[in-house]
Amino acid sequence: MTRPVVLVTQRVFPETLELLNARFQVIANRDEEPLPQEELLRLASGADAMLAFMTDRVDAGFLDGMSAASGGSPARSPVTTTSTCRPARAGACG
């Protein structure tokens, strides 16, 4: 059985990759620099999930690009986001 593909866009602790690798096929950015936007879109279009970070630009243009890359496939929609933001001040999470 094929495991789902997870894109990890930034460097993470090796233990995090170990946990993910136990259940998923992981594509991980191991560089200190964020992925260029074009590379992020290319890699994300082949992934089932993406662990994104604050330096990643996931905006309407990115989501439109994902929709175009997947042919508007319902399997990739709707986009689900999870946030664990606990702001120190009101409105800090957007």
PDB file of all heavy atoms in Angstrom, residues 6-24:
ATOM      1  N   VAL A   6       3.899  13.600   2.509  1.00  0.00           N
ATOM      2  CA  VAL A   6       3.865  14.833   3.294  1.00  0.00           C
ATOM      3  C   VAL A   6       5.077  15.673   2.930  1.00  0.00           C
ATOM      4  O   VAL A   6       6.207  15.184   2.953  1.00  0.00           O
ATOM      5  CB  VAL A   6       3.867  14.536   4.811  1.00  0.00           C
ATOM      6  CG1 VAL A   6       3.961  15.828   5.614  1.00  0.00           C
ATOM      7  CG2 VAL A   6       2.635  13.757   5.212  1.00  0.00           C
ATOM      8  N   LEU A   7       4.834  16.922   2.586  1.00  0.00           N
ATOM      9  CA  LEU A   7       5.904  17.878   2.316  1.00  0.00           C
ATOM     10  C   LEU A   7       6.168  18.681   3.579  1.00  0.00           C
ATOM     11  O   LEU A   7       5.246  19.284   4.140  1.00  0.00           O
ATOM     12  CB  LEU A   7       5.509  18.816   1.175  1.00  0.00           C
ATOM     13  CG  LEU A   7       6.431  20.014   0.926  1.00  0.00           C
ATOM     14  CD1 LEU A   7       7.836  19.564   0.547  1.00  0.00           C
ATOM     15  CD2 LEU A   7       5.835  20.926  -0.140  1.00  0.00           C
ATOM     16  N   VAL A   8       7.408  18.688   4.048  1.00  0.00           N
ATOM     17  CA  VAL A   8       7.831  19.498   5.188  1.00  0.00           C
ATOM     18  C   VAL A   8       8.670  20.626   4.605  1.00  0.00           C
ATOM     19  O   VAL A   8       9.751  20.392   4.067  1.00  0.00           O
ATOM     20  CB  VAL A   8       8.644  18.666   6.209  1.00  0.00           C
ATOM     21  CG1 VAL A   8       9.059  19.531   7.389  1.00  0.00           C
ATOM     22  CG2 VAL A   8       7.834  17.459   6.671  1.00  0.00           C
ATOM     23  N   THR A   9       8.165  21.850   4.709  1.00  0.00           N
ATOM     24  CA  THR A   9       8.747  22.961   3.954  1.00  0.00           C
ATOM     25  C   THR A   9       9.980  23.597   4.589  1.00  0.00           C
ATOM     26  O   THR A   9      10.698  24.327   3.919  1.00  0.00           O
ATOM     27  CB  THR A   9       7.698  24.057   3.734  1.00  0.00           C
ATOM     28  OG1 THR A   9       7.334  24.607   5.009  1.00  0.00           O
ATOM     29  CG2 THR A   9       6.487  23.511   3.008  1.00  0.00           C
ATOM     30  N   GLN A  10      10.220  23.361   5.868  1.00  0.00           N
ATOM     31  CA  GLN A  10      11.360  23.950   6.570  1.00  0.00           C
ATOM     32  C   GLN A  10      12.104  22.863   7.331  1.00  0.00           C
ATOM     33  O   GLN A  10      11.580  21.763   7.530  1.00  0.00           O
ATOM     34  CB  GLN A  10      10.879  25.005   7.579  1.00  0.00           C
ATOM     35  CG  GLN A  10      10.089  26.129   6.957  1.00  0.00           C
ATOM     36  CD  GLN A  10      10.934  27.085   6.170  1.00  0.00           C
ATOM     37  OE1 GLN A  10      12.080  27.362   6.519  1.00  0.00           O
ATOM     38  NE2 GLN A  10      10.393  27.623   5.101  1.00  0.00           N
ATOM     39  N   ARG A  11      13.306  23.202   7.769  1.00  0.00           N
ATOM     40  CA  ARG A  11      14.063  22.250   8.588  1.00  0.00           C
ATOM     41  C   ARG A  11      13.331  22.002   9.891  1.00  0.00           C
ATOM     42  O   ARG A  11      12.798  22.924  10.499  1.00  0.00           O
ATOM     43  CB  ARG A  11      15.447  22.800   8.889  1.00  0.00           C
ATOM     44  CG  ARG A  11      16.371  22.673   7.715  1.00  0.00           C
ATOM     45  CD  ARG A  11      17.740  23.210   7.969  1.00  0.00           C
ATOM     46  NE  ARG A  11      18.265  22.782   9.262  1.00  0.00           N
ATOM     47  CZ  ARG A  11      19.473  23.054   9.682  1.00  0.00           C
ATOM     48  NH1 ARG A  11      20.298  23.747   8.923  1.00  0.00           N
ATOM     49  NH2 ARG A  11      19.892  22.656  10.851  1.00  0.00           N
ATOM     50  N   VAL A  12      13.291  20.743  10.298  1.00  0.00           N
ATOM     51  CA  VAL A  12      12.678  20.356  11.566  1.00  0.00           C
ATOM     52  C   VAL A  12      13.646  19.444  12.307  1.00  0.00           C
ATOM     53  O   VAL A  12      14.630  18.960  11.743  1.00  0.00           O
ATOM     54  CB  VAL A  12      11.311  19.652  11.358  1.00  0.00           C
ATOM     55  CG1 VAL A  12      10.288  20.607  10.765  1.00  0.00           C
ATOM     56  CG2 VAL A  12      11.460  18.409  10.497  1.00  0.00           C
ATOM     57  N   PHE A  13      13.361  19.178  13.553  1.00  0.00           N
ATOM     58  CA  PHE A  13      14.202  18.280  14.339  1.00  0.00           C
ATOM     59  C   PHE A  13      14.195  16.888  13.716  1.00  0.00           C
ATOM     60  O   PHE A  13      13.170  16.439  13.187  1.00  0.00           O
ATOM     61  CB  PHE A  13      13.691  18.191  15.777  1.00  0.00           C
ATOM     62  CG  PHE A  13      13.876  19.459  16.558  1.00  0.00           C
ATOM     63  CD1 PHE A  13      12.770  20.216  16.923  1.00  0.00           C
ATOM     64  CD2 PHE A  13      15.138  19.895  16.933  1.00  0.00           C
ATOM     65  CE1 PHE A  13      12.926  21.384  17.645  1.00  0.00           C
ATOM     66  CE2 PHE A  13      15.306  21.061  17.656  1.00  0.00           C
ATOM     67  CZ  PHE A  13      14.193  21.807  18.018  1.00  0.00           C
ATOM     68  N   PRO A  14      15.320  16.182  13.780  1.00  0.00           N
ATOM     69  CA  PRO A  14      15.379  14.818  13.242  1.00  0.00           C
ATOM     70  C   PRO A  14      14.300  13.904  13.831  1.00  0.00           C
ATOM     71  O   PRO A  14      13.752  13.056  13.141  1.00  0.00           O
ATOM     72  CB  PRO A  14      16.778  14.332  13.625  1.00  0.00           C
ATOM     73  CG  PRO A  14      17.582  15.573  13.799  1.00  0.00           C
ATOM     74  CD  PRO A  14      16.620  16.614  14.303  1.00  0.00           C
ATOM     75  N   GLU A  15      13.974  14.122  15.093  1.00  0.00           N
ATOM     76  CA  GLU A  15      12.934  13.309  15.735  1.00  0.00           C
ATOM     77  C   GLU A  15      11.576  13.514  15.071  1.00  0.00           C
ATOM     78  O   GLU A  15      10.772  12.584  14.984  1.00  0.00           O
ATOM     79  CB  GLU A  15      12.834  13.646  17.237  1.00  0.00           C
ATOM     80  CG  GLU A  15      14.087  13.332  18.029  1.00  0.00           C
ATOM     81  CD  GLU A  15      15.151  14.448  17.978  1.00  0.00           C
ATOM     82  OE1 GLU A  15      14.949  15.474  17.317  1.00  0.00           O
ATOM     83  OE2 GLU A  15      16.202  14.245  18.603  1.00  0.00           O
ATOM     84  N   THR A  16      11.325  14.730  14.612  1.00  0.00           N
ATOM     85  CA  THR A  16      10.068  15.015  13.916  1.00  0.00           C
ATOM     86  C   THR A  16      10.009  14.232  12.613  1.00  0.00           C
ATOM     87  O   THR A  16       8.989  13.626  12.287  1.00  0.00           O
ATOM     88  CB  THR A  16       9.941  16.526  13.638  1.00  0.00           C
ATOM     89  OG1 THR A  16      10.007  17.228  14.879  1.00  0.00           O
ATOM     90  CG2 THR A  16       8.652  16.847  12.923  1.00  0.00           C
ATOM     91  N   LEU A  17      11.120  14.233  11.879  1.00  0.00           N
ATOM     92  CA  LEU A  17      11.165  13.467  10.625  1.00  0.00           C
ATOM     93  C   LEU A  17      11.001  11.973  10.889  1.00  0.00           C
ATOM     94  O   LEU A  17      10.327  11.279  10.120  1.00  0.00           O
ATOM     95  CB  LEU A  17      12.459  13.749   9.870  1.00  0.00           C
ATOM     96  CG  LEU A  17      12.580  15.143   9.261  1.00  0.00           C
ATOM     97  CD1 LEU A  17      13.937  15.314   8.601  1.00  0.00           C
ATOM     98  CD2 LEU A  17      11.458  15.408   8.278  1.00  0.00           C
ATOM     99  N   GLU A  18      11.591  11.472  11.960  1.00  0.00           N
ATOM    100  CA  GLU A  18      11.447  10.056  12.307  1.00  0.00           C
ATOM    101  C   GLU A  18       9.980   9.708  12.544  1.00  0.00           C
ATOM    102  O   GLU A  18       9.493   8.675  12.061  1.00  0.00           O
ATOM    103  CB  GLU A  18      12.264   9.716  13.551  1.00  0.00           C
ATOM    104  CG  GLU A  18      13.758   9.679  13.325  1.00  0.00           C
ATOM    105  CD  GLU A  18      14.524   9.433  14.609  1.00  0.00           C
ATOM    106  OE1 GLU A  18      13.977   8.811  15.541  1.00  0.00           O
ATOM    107  OE2 GLU A  18      15.685   9.875  14.687  1.00  0.00           O
ATOM    108  N   LEU A  19       9.288  10.549  13.296  1.00  0.00           N
ATOM    109  CA  LEU A  19       7.870  10.304  13.565  1.00  0.00           C
ATOM    110  C   LEU A  19       7.045  10.324  12.275  1.00  0.00           C
ATOM    111  O   LEU A  19       6.180   9.471  12.065  1.00  0.00           O
ATOM    112  CB  LEU A  19       7.319  11.346  14.545  1.00  0.00           C
ATOM    113  CG  LEU A  19       7.798  11.223  15.980  1.00  0.00           C
ATOM    114  CD1 LEU A  19       7.397  12.453  16.788  1.00  0.00           C
ATOM    115  CD2 LEU A  19       7.235   9.960  16.618  1.00  0.00           C
ATOM    116  N   LEU A  20       7.315  11.295  11.421  1.00  0.00           N
ATOM    117  CA  LEU A  20       6.587  11.377  10.153  1.00  0.00           C
ATOM    118  C   LEU A  20       6.915  10.199   9.245  1.00  0.00           C
ATOM    119  O   LEU A  20       6.026   9.624   8.614  1.00  0.00           O
ATOM    120  CB  LEU A  20       6.899  12.695   9.446  1.00  0.00           C
ATOM    121  CG  LEU A  20       6.317  13.952  10.087  1.00  0.00           C
ATOM    122  CD1 LEU A  20       6.900  15.192   9.432  1.00  0.00           C
ATOM    123  CD2 LEU A  20       4.805  13.947  10.007  1.00  0.00           C
ATOM    124  N   ASN A  21       8.205   9.836   9.167  1.00  0.00           N
ATOM    125  CA  ASN A  21       8.626   8.735   8.296  1.00  0.00           C
ATOM    126  C   ASN A  21       7.995   7.399   8.678  1.00  0.00           C
ATOM    127  O   ASN A  21       7.894   6.506   7.836  1.00  0.00           O
ATOM    128  CB  ASN A  21      10.151   8.614   8.280  1.00  0.00           C
ATOM    129  CG  ASN A  21      10.775   9.557   7.284  1.00  0.00           C
ATOM    130  OD1 ASN A  21      10.336   9.664   6.147  1.00  0.00           O
ATOM    131  ND2 ASN A  21      11.810  10.255   7.718  1.00  0.00           N
ATOM    132  N   ALA A  22       7.596   7.250   9.913  1.00  0.00           N
ATOM    133  CA  ALA A  22       6.973   6.001  10.348  1.00  0.00           C
ATOM    134  C   ALA A  22       5.623   5.775   9.676  1.00  0.00           C
ATOM    135  O   ALA A  22       5.196   4.635   9.506  1.00  0.00           O
ATOM    136  CB  ALA A  22       6.811   6.000  11.869  1.00  0.00           C
ATOM    137  N   ARG A  23       4.960   6.863   9.257  1.00  0.00           N
ATOM    138  CA  ARG A  23       3.615   6.731   8.688  1.00  0.00           C
ATOM    139  C   ARG A  23       3.460   7.291   7.287  1.00  0.00           C
ATOM    140  O   ARG A  23       2.473   7.009   6.613  1.00  0.00           O
ATOM    141  CB  ARG A  23       2.610   7.426   9.600  1.00  0.00           C
ATOM    142  CG  ARG A  23       2.561   6.782  10.981  1.00  0.00           C
ATOM    143  CD  ARG A  23       1.472   7.318  11.810  1.00  0.00           C
ATOM    144  NE  ARG A  23       0.193   7.064  11.177  1.00  0.00           N
ATOM    145  CZ  ARG A  23      -0.940   7.524  11.636  1.00  0.00           C
ATOM    146  NH1 ARG A  23      -0.964   8.262  12.710  1.00  0.00           N
ATOM    147  NH2 ARG A  23      -2.076   7.264  11.016  1.00  0.00           N
ATOM    148  N   PHE A  24       4.406   8.120   6.865  1.00  0.00           N
ATOM    149  CA  PHE A  24       4.264   8.824   5.595  1.00  0.00           C
ATOM    150  C   PHE A  24       5.534   8.729   4.767  1.00  0.00           C
ATOM    151  O   PHE A  24       6.609   8.487   5.286  1.00  0.00           O
ATOM    152  CB  PHE A  24       3.968  10.318   5.839  1.00  0.00           C
ATOM    153  CG  PHE A  24       2.800  10.561   6.732  1.00  0.00           C
ATOM    154  CD1 PHE A  24       2.986  10.913   8.059  1.00  0.00           C
ATOM    155  CD2 PHE A  24       1.510  10.426   6.259  1.00  0.00           C
ATOM    156  CE1 PHE A  24       1.910  11.137   8.894  1.00  0.00           C
ATOM    157  CE2 PHE A  24       0.419  10.649   7.081  1.00  0.00           C
ATOM    158  CZ  PHE A  24       0.614  11.006   8.410  1.00  0.00           C
TER     159      PHE A  24
END
